Amino acid sequence: MIPTEKAKELYGQIVLAVDRLEKTNEEFKTSHSPRTFRGGGPSEFIHERLIRNLSDLPFRLTFSFGQTQPLLQLLKNNELDLLIATQHVASSGLVFTRLTTESFILVGSHLSKTFIDPTTVQTELESMKWISYGPDIPIIRRFWMETFGARSTINPTYVVPDLRVVKTMVIQGLGISVLPDYLIHDELLAGTLKVLFTPPKPVVNDLWVVHRSSDSNDSAFIEFLDLLTI
């Protein structure tokens, strides 16, 4: 194939840019800059359990926050390398490994009333102000169903999509909520939060580490997994 005169003219105008692109690409391949590892999961869990251990990682790290289902799709699309999931969703090509178990606890401020009588607690709780992570009261709904065996009719006064903010609002006495134990451990010890009602059977939820099966031997994945299990 022989280029036309128009093609030769075009090449003359872009040849310097092509040369720079090829040079940059070669320098990138031979550089020793650290690779980027892409993690995802609940921002609250990563904040409480992970960031304190990040300083010694030999690679760059980026995070994507959000709920499990959309983040699973990013993992499938090779836009994430690892995901901390709040639920197990069977999916071809993905490996789920149980990371830890969280307990859901009904809490209020130190001034809140505690409930002991199981025959009246459900009615009393429904009349209180609630703070929820989402409009569909996901954590509260799970706690309610497993504790009382019924669907909740609670209409939350506040809806805040960050459990750390929910915790602060509960401490300030704006309402009550159900929060995971890892998030409120220190506040329960300090007395700024207190358990309002303890169900007969603990309400728990498993957290999972999810990765593509093809990445099981990846060195960055193994190092990041070690970080999660400290």
Side-chain angles (χ1 to χ4, degrees):
M1 288 176 34
I2 300 175
T4 63
E5 290 302 315
K6 199 70 174 177
K8 292 178 182 179
E9 180 180 342
L10 174 63
Y11 180 75
Q13 295 179 15
I14 66 171
V15 63
L16 293 179
V18 172
D19 287 344
R20 285 198 299 271
L21 179 61
E22 291 179 348
K23 181 180 179 181
T24 300
N25 187 46
E26 289 302 314
E27 289 176 349
F28 182 78
K29 289 180 179 179
T30 58
S31 70
H32 298 288
S33 59
R35 63 168 287 186
T36 297
F37 189 80
R38 303 159 299 173
S43 60
E44 301 89 353
F45 183 85
I46 291 171
H47 178 269
E48 296 295 320
R49 295 285 299 274
L50 186 59
I51 57 175
R52 71 190 69 175
N53 302 317
L54 294 181
S55 59
D56 296 328
L57 285 179
F59 46 79
R60 295 179 64 247
L61 186 62
T62 64
F63 282 119
S64 296
F65 297 141
Q67 299 184 1
T68 293
Q69 290 285 6
L71 291 179
L72 277 174
Q73 192 58 50
L74 293 180
L75 185 63
K76 292 178 184 179
N77 294 343
N78 198 32
E79 296 177 58
L80 288 180
D81 300 305
L82 178 145
L83 169 63
I84 300 170
T86 58
Q87 55 184 300
H88 189 295
V89 182
S91 185
S92 176
L94 298 183
V95 178
F96 284 73
T97 304
R98 184 180 284 102
L99 173 62
T100 187
T101 299
E102 59 182 352
S103 296
F104 292 140
I105 302 176
L106 174 60
V107 293
S109 73
H110 69 287
L111 296 175
S112 299
K113 174 185 176 181
T114 54
F115 302 89
I116 300 175
D117 186 352
T119 62
T120 62
V121 61
Q122 183 174 347
T123 302
E124 291 185 86
L125 287 174
E126 286 178 333
S127 66
M128 301 187 69
K129 288 185 176 181
W130 283 82
I131 308 168
S132 174
Y133 177 81
D136 56 343
I137 58 171
I139 301 176
I140 298 170
R141 184 179 66 246
R142 169 81 176 275
F143 180 90
W144 204 268
M145 177 61 72
E146 294 196 21
T147 300
F148 303 116
R151 292 185 179 275
S152 170
T153 59
I154 291 171
N155 185 22
T157 305
Y158 304 100
V159 176
V160 186
D162 188 313
L163 293 179
R164 291 163 296 180
V165 179
V166 172
K167 176 178 69 173
T168 300
M169 294 174 70
V170 174
I171 291 173
Q172 293 178 354
L174 296 175
I176 66 175
S177 193
V178 177
L179 293 169
D181 55 351
Y182 71 81
L183 186 66
I184 58 176
H185 176 266
D186 292 343
E187 288 77 13
L188 289 175
L189 289 178
T192 54
L193 287 177
K194 68 178 179 181
V195 179
L196 303 186
F197 177 72
T198 302
K201 181 181 178 182
V203 181
V204 299
N205 182 60
D206 289 329
L207 295 177
W208 305 82
V209 176
V210 194
H211 69 282
R212 290 180 296 276
S213 55
S214 58
D215 292 339
S216 294
N217 296 320
D218 181 79
S219 59
F221 164 73
I222 294 172
E223 288 188 65
F224 193 79
L225 185 60
D226 288 342
L227 193 70
L228 288 171
T229 55
I230 291 178

